[in-house]
């Protein structure tokens, strides 16, 4: 169990605590070879606040925000001598049937706003400024779907921690003082087989998720046999302490291309908590009893980043 000291002296995290928005872009890029590319990246990400203000000030009610995440290899390339204690690359989790793949990515830009044009404009400026210092590995446009439902039709995000618990779950504290106010973030792009999913009776869908569909009420944990998604994703340590993460999943899709997905994004104070959730989901708990959501949802990306505090991010400019 962590102490609660992370907020004893002022430190400014990035906008990890920004609420679920109407629109979001998840942009993952790789950094080109060479010192020039690294220098450009350092300039742009250390001054990301300037770009956010340039767009965001034009309508403060749009609540534009952008979190910059840095991958494990990129962290070293940016010339950092010390490393966040748990920063490591996403490792593939191979279950009996499904695999959480690991895919490339040096930088993540998690852009959120109440206006899709603001999200678009900030992404455009970021990519223009970075120029050929980066190559886009993945770009996903997320949108709010009714009352924050995923495309499987369930309300997604209900059990997220709020207030002080949100900071405790998502922000590094005194356990790693140099990186206090930072956060580990894991992203995975899931594609759904909606034809197969919608052919299941709603009662079975509810059992798989662990909540009722229409009114979003939590179901009891299964006493024996197959566990629901919400149960497999609940991590309790040997001392009986539950470890939460902060999720900002968004639906995305192109019906004309038969593309329907959920972009999973989880922020955590302890990276191992998300890794443990993934093991439970893909390998199963007990082993073999994997998350049935995966029979209808395929993870096509998987990447881990570190989201430093604003202070550390700004210092990367040198
Ligand atoms: C196809 C991808 C996914 C979908 C559609 C999905 C959907 C959902 C839904 C509908 C809930 C119940 C409501 C809520 O509390 O938010 C939920 C809960 C949860 N999910 Fe997922 N999820 C996905 C992937 C993941 C992954 C990859 C993780 C972690 C690595 C995860 C972690 C959690 C956690 C921690 C909860 C809350 C459990 C609780 O305390 O009740 N989910 N998810």
């Amino acid at each position: 169990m962590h102490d609660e000291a992370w907020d004893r002296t002022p430190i400014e995290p990035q906008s990890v605590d920004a609420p679920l928005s109407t629109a979001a872009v998840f942009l993952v890029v790789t950094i080109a070879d060479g010192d020039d590319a690294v220098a450009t990246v350092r300039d742009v990400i250390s001054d990301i606040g300037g770009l956010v203000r340039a767009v965001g000030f034009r309508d403060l009610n749009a609540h534009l925000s952008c979190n910059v995440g840095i991958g494990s290899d990129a962290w070293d390339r940016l010339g950092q001598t010390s490393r966040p204690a748990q920063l490591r690359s996403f490792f593939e989790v191979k279950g009996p049937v499904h695999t959480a793949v690991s895919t490339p990515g040096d930088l993540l830009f998690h852009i959120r706003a109440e206006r899709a044009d603001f999200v678009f404009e900030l992404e455009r400026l970021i990519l223009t400024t970075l120029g050929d210092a980066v190559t886009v590995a993945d770009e996903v446009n997320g949108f709010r779907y009714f009352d924050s439902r995923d495309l499987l039709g369930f309300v997604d995000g209900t059990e997220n921690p709020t207030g002080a618990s949100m900071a405790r779950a998502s922000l590094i504290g005194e356990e790693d003082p140099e990186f206090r106010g930072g956060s580990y973030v894991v992203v995975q792009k899931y594609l759904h087989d909606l034809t197969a999913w919608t052919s299941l009776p709603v009662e079975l869908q509810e059992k798989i998720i662990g909540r009722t569909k229409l009114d979003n009420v939590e179901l009891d944990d299964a006493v024996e046999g197959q566990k629901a998604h919400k149960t497999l994703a609940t991590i309790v340590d040997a001392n009986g302490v539950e470890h939460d993460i902060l999720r900002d999943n968004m639906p995305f899709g192109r019906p004309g291309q038969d593309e329907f997905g959920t972009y999973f994004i989880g922020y955590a104070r302890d990276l191992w908590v998300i890794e443990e959730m993934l093991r439970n989901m893909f390998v199963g708990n007990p082993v073999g009893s994997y998350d049935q959501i995966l029979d209808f949802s395929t993870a096509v990306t998987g990447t881990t980043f570190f989201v430093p505090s604003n202070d550390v991010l700004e210092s990367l400019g040198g």
Side-chain angles (χ1 to χ4, degrees):
M1 178 69 167
H2 293 296
D3 67 22
E4 300 183 8
W6 80 264
D7 55 352
R8 261 184 219 143
T9 52
I11 189 122
E12 196 187 304
Q14 294 192 56
S15 304
V16 173
D17 63 349
L20 278 175
S21 51
T22 308
V25 157
F26 306 91
L27 176 68
V28 173
V29 303
T30 53
I31 304 174
D33 291 341
D35 293 345
D36 287 354
V38 168
T40 303
V41 164
R42 288 178 62 150
D43 276 355
V44 174
I45 64 175
S46 62
D47 195 25
I48 195 80
L51 289 182
V52 174
R53 284 190 296 279
V55 180
F57 186 71
R58 288 144 73 180
D59 177 3
L60 293 175
N61 290 325
H63 299 294
L64 178 68
S65 69
C66 176
N67 291 336
V68 180
I70 303 168
S72 178
D73 294 346
W75 183 264
D76 297 334
R77 278 191 72 196
L78 293 182
Q80 300 307 296
T81 44
S82 51
R83 291 173 58 84
Q86 294 179 44
L87 180 57
R88 51 187 168 256
S89 299
F90 187 99
F91 61 87
E92 181 181 284
V93 184
K94 210 170 173 40
V97 179
H98 304 290
T99 301
V101 293
S102 169
T103 55
D106 288 327
L107 301 173
L108 166 75
F109 297 92
H110 179 199
I111 308 174
R112 285 180 274 185
E114 292 308 305
R115 288 178 52 169
D117 54 345
F118 274 46
V119 169
F120 168 89
E121 181 66 359
L122 182 59
E123 182 191 5
R124 186 184 72 77
L125 286 180
I126 289 171
L127 285 173
T128 306
T129 324
L130 285 168
D132 54 14
V134 300
T135 304
V136 174
D138 192 34
E139 177 194 40
V140 170
N141 276 273
F143 55 87
R144 177 179 293 146
Y145 190 51
F146 298 103
D147 43 348
S148 296
R149 288 181 189 259
D150 53 42
L151 296 187
L152 301 179
F154 283 78
V155 177
D156 194 354
T158 309
E159 292 298 332
N160 262 335
T162 55
S165 332
M166 187 201 298
R168 261 198 309 275
S170 58
L171 298 176
I172 293 167
E174 284 301 335
E175 69 277 11
D176 192 3
E178 206 179 325
F179 297 106
R180 198 159 54 89
S183 187
Y184 299 99
V185 64
V186 172
V187 296
Q188 281 184 301
K189 175 160 123 179
Y190 283 90
L191 295 176
H192 302 306
D193 180 348
L194 275 198
T195 312
W197 176 256
T198 50
S199 70
L200 293 184
V202 168
E203 206 175 304
L204 188 50
Q205 297 179 355
E206 293 178 333
K207 257 193 167 149
I208 291 173
I209 300 290
R211 305 186 78 91
T212 60
K213 193 169 187 180
L214 180 65
D215 49 16
N216 187 32
V217 176
E218 188 173 357
L219 301 176
D220 289 340
D221 289 325
V223 186
E224 54 181 24
Q226 178 65 49
K227 294 185 177 121
H229 171 64
K230 62 115 188 180
T231 313
L232 288 167
T234 300
I235 303 300
V236 180
D237 70 19
N239 301 317
V241 178
E242 188 172 325
H243 294 266
D244 288 334
I245 65 169
L246 177 63
R247 292 164 291 129
D248 292 304
N249 298 0
M250 293 287 262
F252 64 91
R254 290 178 299 169
Q257 310 296 314
D258 199 27
E259 180 191 87
F260 304 97
T262 294
Y263 200 87
F264 166 80
I265 178 164
Y267 288 92
R269 176 183 196 159
D270 287 304
L271 180 58
W272 68 262
V273 176
I274 301 187
E275 292 171 341
E276 187 75 24
M277 288 174 180
L278 288 171
R279 262 192 302 278
N280 276 351
M281 286 178 63
F282 283 80
V283 177
N285 182 7
V287 170
S289 196
Y290 66 86
D291 194 328
Q292 306 286 287
I293 228 178
L294 301 176
D295 287 339
F296 307 90
S297 315
T298 306
V300 295
T301 70
T303 320
T304 297
F305 303 91
F306 174 64
V307 173
S309 67
N310 274 330
D311 315 58
V312 171
L313 188 64
E314 282 161 22
S315 74
L316 293 179

